[in-house]
Amino acid sequence: MLLVLGASPAFATDPSHVNFTLEGCRNDGSITFPPGGPFVCPDAAYTTGNLGKGWNELDLVPHRVTAAAGNAAPSNQTYTIAVVADNLSGTALGYDVISVPVLNTALSSASCTAPTVGPQTQMSPGLGGLTASIYRLLTINQAQNTTCVYDYHERLALGSHLFPGSSLHSNLALSTGASTVDCSGLGCRDVSIPVKEILPQKLDKNMSAAQGGDQAWSLKKEANPAEVSFGDVCVKDAPLEKPVTITVTWTKVSIIPGTISVTANITATNPASRTITVAVSDTIYQGTTPSVPLDTANLGSFDVPANSSHVFTHTVTLPSSDGNIGDFLNDVATATYTDKDTGITVPGNTSATAKAQITAGTINNSTVSITDTESITGTGLTFSVATPSVGSFTGGYIAGTHTVGPVGWSSGAQTDSGSVSFNKTIYLASLQVTSGVLSDSATLTGDNNVTLASAGPLNVNISSSASVALTIDKVIDNSNPTFLFAGDKLDILFHVSRANDSTYGEDVTISFTGGGATELTSTLTGLVPDNYTVVEQSATFTPAGSNTGQVIGLSDPSGTTKTQDLTLPNCSGTVKYNDQLLAGPASAQVQKITDPLLQSGDPDFTWTFTLQGPGLPPAGIQATANAGAGYVDIGGALQEGTFTMTETLKSGWQLDSATPNDGATTTICSFAVNYPADAGKLFQCSFHNTKLGKATVVKTQSGAALTGTESFDFQLRQGASTTQAGTTLETATANAANNGTFTFSTLLVPGTHYQLCEVVLPGWQTSLSSAFTVFNPGGDNSVLCTDFTVAAGETKSFAVDNTPPPGGNARTIGFWKNWTASSCKQSNGKQAPVLDQTLALATPPGEQVGTLYLDGSSTDVCYAVLLLNKSDILTGKKMASNPLYGLAAQLLAAELNVTAGAAICPAVSSAITQANALLVKYGFNGTGSYSNLTKADATTANNLASKLDAYNNNLPSACQ
């Protein structure tokens, strides 16, 4: 292109009288550039026309600007022009780089200098209605009559083969503004490249996928029978060998899908005339769409030479879960490009896709082998194996040989299911108890001798047992005609134990009957092999008609203990006893036991006993035994029959018991002799006696012996208390005649409770210890008792001292109305006339009861008895509910007690005075109802009666 510029354009920097030629390198496909350039074609290749079909994406297309300043040009000028390239049409790129133009010194005048070049600038809109153009401004200083040549290149962008239109254009232009150029001033001269001839940077790919698998196998073992027992080796014809079959079965089952081997080959083709650096990444997806990524790989970068290709390979092994044979995988590869020559980033990328259906790959473990090993444990156990139908033994084993193992076997190569049965025989060396295990293990191995399955160890438990038998052979002595008779029974008891188990024990009884066999046996079966000991423990004889047996003397002279070795191989054994009766008659003895224990010289030390029974004189035979001296013999040899033994009882003793006895009469010893059970037996009778006790009273008065006519009555009672009168066993009187000392004749049983009682008259005191007033239904409180017991043979002595009035105890109305000689008294007793005597002692005019005064006359004594009985003295009517009569009774008894010398206190004296005053108030004379008694005075009368009653009963509350 030749451009001759005339006048300067609007901008001062426009060229003046400079001819411009714009050329590009025409490439027919033969031009290539080395890495790094230079990117300059041979001069002959430059043209102002079509640049040919040899340029492709990312090519640096050489361009050349020739500026010729003619004679008309200024001698020297500086101007600016623009080199322009089509950049963008819509979104399609054309050229994306314009290099910095450089001076071609070879073709330029010597005065030409390098231009000042501006940056690459994008202008939008671009020239010719494009979306955008790119340009660089060149500021050139040029002299007149010179030619300056400038070389530069333009890069065909990635994707430029898609640029709309037929050609890509390069232009020269002038600057029209800060960021605009226009070619109108230069005629818009251009050079072009036909778009359809541009080859793209190409990315091709293919992929393949194959899934291998593992052939699965199963392995199992079975034993028939599952356990082997030799049973009881002591059983007749017990076997010493047992068969067992072990079957090993291998089964070819389904193929287990393996991993998926994927290979993707990505081919990057560089059509450019220079080396391009290509970087590839690749992603493999599941299925036919890129939605489920399975693996991504960055395959690195590679400098692809001009007009050549490079293959990137993405290989990956995916798990079986990512797909199965027949499923699809797809793959997306992406390439990015690096322009090492310009150092300018290449925008955009290329991609390629492929898909592949998963095909079948290699199947592992199609061929396997099975091995087996077997061995046995247990004392005395071995086994043998017959020749198997499949495979062969390993390790040198010979079929049928007895061994404990291990025995090995191998199947050889197997490609299908199969099985093998090992027919084995287990041997027991001898009669013995043992246990063991026949153990069999199998292994299935595949490729590379990898174990795929194993079975076992399959353990067949082996056992043997033994139950031995022990026989006890018993012979009894039947030569004695008195031994066993019809109906008699003899039981022989044995105890069996074993040496190695202290917890084992078994009792065996062998029973003989009169008239039956004299030799019998008993056999214990199911015993554990061991050493056994048999002990004959007893022989029990039960006579005909009886249910009670007795142990008799019967034994083997060689001993009662025998042993028998029943350890294997001994399966049975017998111990034998030849028993004989231990002959000898029965005899009797007696002993005397006394309480208390007597000493020699005591008159009761020796006692007489009488034995009566069959074969003895009618009166029996006698023997004496000393107390506490042990057993003594009585009689001689006893015949069969019933015997009794009695004692001659001594005075002052009680016979407590005789043993043995018949249970009915416990004071007679009785026993029965029964042969042969009682042969040699000693029958012993024991008699127990207790000496009875006595009670003695030693009586004094005021600490001195009795003199004169005084007498004191005592009673020996049993069962007496404050609530029970008891039984009076004996009465006695202490007086001067017996010097106040006497002993009750009643003999006392040791340990039994008795009561010593004394009749104590009003005003008297007694020293009787722990005394209590014995119960009297009539209210008489004159009898005081103390409780006591005696020991065996003891005479209990009571020292009792009495003190006469005054100061003694008071007595109740029940006492006073009964201790009288009057026919009016309230009992039939023979009491002394104490009432009569006391009234006679009363200070004249007698005892005051209201307006009534009583003295010792028989009439007054009878009145006194009626008043004490709370009765009307004239009519005899009972007036107990009338307060005045109740007060009169207690008042009269209190006055009599005072007269008799009983102790009195001020409170009682005051009560006596108040009582008489109240009775006088109502004119009480012992007869009538006194209905005019007020309620208040009735209460007073009752209170006073209670106070005086407490005094008459010797209660402390009377004086409070």
Side-chain angles (χ1 to χ4, degrees), residues 629-646:
Y631 286 99
V632 297
D633 294 329
I634 181 171
L638 303 180
Q639 295 183 10
E640 186 169 301
T642 299
F643 292 82
T644 60
M645 188 182 300
T646 57

Side-chain angles (χ1 to χ4, degrees), residues 39 52 62 90 191 217 230 236 360 477 546 609 695 726 733 761 806 823 840 877 914:
F39 299 101
V191 292
W217 296 81
F230 286 91
K236 183 180 179 181
D477 182 5
S546 174
F609 300 92
T733 300
L761 297 179
S823 61
K877 181 181 178 181
Q914 293 178 55

Side-chain angles (χ1 to χ4, degrees), residues 182 216 263 464 553 578 637 750 826 869 953 960:
D182 184 68
T263 301
S464 68
N578 288 288
Q826 299 299 299
N869 199 39
N953 278 282
Q960 296 174 350

Side-chain angles (χ1 to χ4, degrees), residues 613-624:
L616 299 178
I621 56 174
Q622 291 187 334
T624 59

Side-chain angles (χ1 to χ4, degrees), residues 23-28 30-33 38-47 55 62 64 104 107 151:
E23 298 174 298
C25 179
R26 182 179 180 83
N27 188 1
D28 60 3
S30 62
I31 297 176
T32 59
F33 302 109
F39 299 101
V40 179
C41 293
D43 294 339
Y46 284 92
T47 179
W55 299 112
R64 179 173 287 174
N104 187 331
L107 298 178
D151 290 321

Side-chain angles (χ1 to χ4, degrees), residues 851 879 882-885 917-925 927-939 941:
T851 62
M879 303 293 287
N882 190 305
L884 293 183
Y885 277 92
L918 183 60
L919 293 175
V920 170
K921 177 180 177 180
Y922 287 95
F924 183 83
N925 60 2
T927 185
S929 62
Y930 307 102
S931 58
N932 61 338
L933 181 67
T934 67
K935 184 176 181 180
D937 285 345
T939 300

Side-chain angles (χ1 to χ4, degrees), residues 776-944:
N776 184 291
D780 186 346
N781 64 341
S782 63
V783 180
L784 301 180
C785 301
T786 186
D787 190 84
F788 72 96
T789 61
V790 294
E794 178 188 13
T795 297
K796 179 83 74 174
S797 179
F798 296 90
V800 182
D801 184 70
N802 289 88
T803 303
N809 290 329
R811 292 292 173 253
T812 62
I813 59 177
F815 171 83
W816 289 109
K817 69 183 180 180
N818 285 298
W819 285 72
T820 176
S822 170
S823 61
C824 297
K825 68 179 180 178
Q826 299 299 299
S827 70
N828 296 321
K830 298 179 180 181
Q831 295 94 330
V834 179
L835 174 62
D836 312 52
Q837 296 168 355
T838 304
L839 284 174
L841 294 175
T843 303
E847 303 289 4
Q848 180 186 1
V849 183
T851 62
L852 183 66
Y853 288 89
L854 302 174
D855 58 19
S857 68
S858 60
T859 299
D860 284 357
V861 170
C862 192
Y863 285 167
V865 170
L866 289 170
L867 286 176
L868 290 169
N869 199 39
K870 302 176 184 179
S871 300
D872 188 305
I873 62 175
L874 297 180
T875 65
K877 181 181 178 181
K878 193 75 171 180
M879 303 293 287
S881 61
N882 190 305
L884 293 183
Y885 277 92
L887 176 60
Q890 297 296 345
L891 173 62
L892 179 56
E895 290 176 336
L896 290 170
N897 284 323
V898 172
T899 298
I904 190 171
C905 63
V908 174
S909 296
S910 175
I912 291 173
T913 301
Q914 293 178 55
N916 272 314
L918 183 60
L919 293 175
V920 170
K921 177 180 177 180
Y922 287 95
F924 183 83
N925 60 2
T927 185
S929 62
Y930 307 102
S931 58
N932 61 338
L933 181 67
T934 67
K935 184 176 181 180
D937 285 345
T939 300
T940 300
N942 288 334
N943 290 340
L944 289 171

